Amino acid sequence: MSESRWSDASGGGRYLRPYAITGGRTRHSQHAFTLITQIVSRSVDDTDHEALEPEAAKILELCRDRAVAIAEIAALMDLPVSVVKILCGDLLNTSLILVQSPPGKESQPDVELIERVMDAIRQL
């Protein structure tokens, strides 16, 4: 993985546009990731990741030891969240990551309970 391919030789940082990283795609067609969707790498062996683009390999590296949220990956890689979602969708399609979606509606707190708590706090 050569960083010179993705960085400005003068040390000015990355010059590759986000749409080039995703091949012009603006969203992933099959997966609906949220900012808090957790990603973890399936493999601890980096040798099978040599054929990946640098950004995809970096995602696998970040998620090797622990689950990491999409928003955190984007922040750590200094990439737009939309780009990270597309890259994670590609990694999921190739079975290189596991995804833990945020809790569904059934595990969200009851609105009535929240209103009762707020009323009790106001009475204090």
Side-chain angles (χ1 to χ4, degrees):
M1 248 179 3
S2 172
E3 287 298 316
S4 63
R5 177 175 156 195
W6 305 102
S7 300
D8 184 358
S10 66
R14 214 181 41 185
Y15 63 88
L16 189 65
R17 302 261 183 204
Y19 64 81
I21 296 170
T22 63
R25 295 174 294 157
T26 57
R27 57 179 64 134
H28 202 278
S29 60
Q30 296 175 334
H31 309 291
F33 297 110
T34 66
L35 292 176
I36 59 174
T37 300
Q38 300 285 311
I39 305 296
V40 67
S41 177
R42 280 182 167 253
S43 171
V44 295
D45 185 16
D46 286 340
T47 57
D48 59 344
H49 303 158
E50 292 175 358
L52 295 174
E53 293 296 327
E55 289 80 8
K58 180 69 175 175
I59 290 172
L60 293 176
E61 178 185 322
L62 289 171
C63 303
R64 180 184 308 133
D65 300 323
R66 65 182 179 95
V68 182
I70 293 282
E72 186 177 355
I73 294 169
L76 291 169
M77 294 182 63
D78 193 27
L79 285 173
V81 172
S82 58
V83 171
V84 172
K85 287 179 179 181
I86 292 168
L87 293 173
C88 286
D90 294 344
L91 291 171
L92 184 59
N93 284 346
T94 57
S95 300
L96 291 173
I97 61 171
L98 297 172
V99 175
Q100 180 180 356
S101 296
K105 185 164 177 62
E106 64 280 350
S107 63
Q108 292 180 348
D110 183 21
V111 174
E112 182 181 327
L113 175 63
I114 293 172
E115 289 173 349
R116 288 192 319 218
V117 170
M118 290 174 55
D119 289 339
I121 290 173
R122 283 189 202 111
Q123 290 176 1
L124 294 175

